[in-house]
Amino acid sequence: TAAFSLCTLVALSHLHADPGASVFVELRIFKKRAWVEFSSPAGVDLRFSDGETVRRARYRFERATSDRRGVSVRSADPTKALHAESDRAPKSYRGEIRVYWTDSEAVLMNQVSENDYLSSVVGGEVGAHHVSAMQAQAIAARTLLYFLRLRGDSRPLSDIGGGDQVYRGDEFATPAARTAVVETGDLVLMRDIAPMYPLFLSTCGGVLVPPSRDLGLSATVEARDAPTLRSDTYAPGATNCRHSP
């Protein structure tokens, strides 16, 4: 969950959001899958890199046999999610999924609205909890987006792996998660006059440690962008979380 021990220089503030802002997320969960099949109740719209556009009931991408043209896939009905099925549990996503090739592999990228992305992050990081916890997570997740955006960091985020916020698609964007995102509006955490670098972990058992030690941040970055973190051992069984302190 998003738990903070904040110094006095950290405060909540409003930053005016761009209603058309998108987030790009690399879907690494499909990285080693041999095939992915996209579908939606109204069909899928495809736009290939050579300009061809077509609507189909479904589209199956296979690494071994698909042509090397890039393709963008979206639900023909924008109110419906795009289903992505492979040889593991199916997923659903809002927005558009782009498939393109590097020299050695295919990459799947989800372009999704900011609110849809944040709603999935809230549902994935904290699940169904007290409304205040979900709102705190929404603010923390939004703060990271704005921190990266205002630093000019245009790299895509990842859906899994611990390097970024967990993003599990539309099924985790529950009504409660969406409400938390909407009700916190454009609130972000500020350190001095800029969005801070928010550090949060989803499995902490109550022990907070210096981010330079366990999150790989340099002492310079920690001093400049991270709030003061102190050990807090009030939680019962705090040592149970050594794998994710």
Side-chain angles (χ1 to χ4, degrees), residues 14 42 61 75 98 103 158 170 179 212 217 223 233 240 244:
H14 293 272
F61 164 78
S75 172
R98 301 178 183 180
D103 291 338
S158 63
D170 188 59
T179 298
S212 59
L217 296 179
T233 57
N240 292 337
S244 181

Side-chain angles (χ1 to χ4, degrees), residues 197 210-226:
Y197 184 62
S212 59
R213 192 186 83 192
D214 282 273
L215 298 179
L217 296 179
S218 69
T220 301
V221 171
E222 178 183 344
R224 184 185 64 216
D225 297 320

Side-chain angles (χ1 to χ4, degrees), residues 153-177:
D153 188 339
S154 59
R155 66 178 176 85
L157 300 175
S158 63
D159 56 343
I160 58 174
D164 293 310
Q165 308 174 114
V166 65
Y167 172 69
R168 297 179 177 177
D170 188 59
E171 54 261 55
F172 280 80
T174 62

Side-chain angles (χ1 to χ4, degrees), residues 1-238:
T1 57
F4 304 94
S5 176
L6 303 177
C7 67
T8 55
L9 292 179
V10 175
L12 286 173
S13 183
H14 293 272
L15 282 183
H16 294 296
D18 177 0
S22 294
V23 181
F24 291 87
V25 189
E26 182 180 350
L27 302 179
R28 295 184 181 179
I29 195 170
F30 297 115
K31 196 171 186 67
K32 297 184 187 232
R33 306 278 71 82
W35 57 271
V36 183
E37 185 168 281
F38 301 103
S39 64
S40 185
V44 294
D45 287 337
L46 309 175
R47 185 178 70 253
F48 292 92
S49 56
D50 61 2
E52 179 187 359
T53 59
V54 63
R55 177 171 293 180
R56 297 180 184 172
R58 58 186 61 242
Y59 174 70
R60 185 180 176 101
F61 164 78
E62 297 188 16
R63 293 180 187 276
T65 60
S66 291
D67 64 43
R68 291 299 181 106
R69 294 183 299 170
V71 60
S72 296
V73 189
R74 63 168 55 242
S75 172
D77 180 352
T79 67
K80 303 296 183 182
L82 180 67
H83 303 298
E85 187 174 352
S86 67
D87 52 351
R88 63 181 301 163
K91 296 286 184 182
S92 297
Y93 297 94
R94 295 286 173 174
E96 181 175 271
I97 294 180
R98 301 178 183 180
V99 182
Y100 65 91
W101 290 85
T102 66
D103 291 338
S104 59
E105 63 181 1
V107 177
L108 277 68
M109 193 79 65
N110 184 201
Q111 180 181 358
V112 62
S113 74
E114 185 176 296
N115 274 8
D116 284 335
Y117 171 78
L118 292 174
S119 297
S120 179
V121 169
V122 171
E125 291 282 1
V126 302
H129 281 280
H130 190 278
V131 61
S132 296
M134 301 184 79
Q135 289 175 344
Q137 182 64 66
I139 293 169
R142 183 182 297 109
T143 300
L144 178 60
L145 286 186
Y146 281 56
F147 173 85
L148 296 174
R149 192 173 293 160
L150 294 177
R151 291 297 179 98
D153 188 339
S154 59
R155 66 178 176 85
L157 300 175
S158 63
D159 56 343
I160 58 174
D164 293 310
Q165 308 174 114
V166 65
Y167 172 69
R168 297 179 177 177
D170 188 59
E171 54 261 55
F172 280 80
T174 62
R178 290 187 179 278
T179 298
V181 170
V182 171
E183 288 184 346
T184 54
D186 52 3
L187 280 173
V188 297
L189 288 163
M190 304 286 285
R191 180 174 174 85
D192 297 328
I193 60 172
M196 60 173 277
Y197 184 62
L199 303 173
F200 61 86
L201 297 163
S202 63
T203 53
C204 181
V207 178
L208 300 178
V209 296
S212 59
R213 192 186 83 192
D214 282 273
L215 298 179
L217 296 179
S218 69
T220 301
V221 171
E222 178 183 344
R224 184 185 64 216
D225 297 320
T228 299
L229 299 181
R230 58 179 175 78
S231 180
D232 188 351
T233 57
Y234 72 87

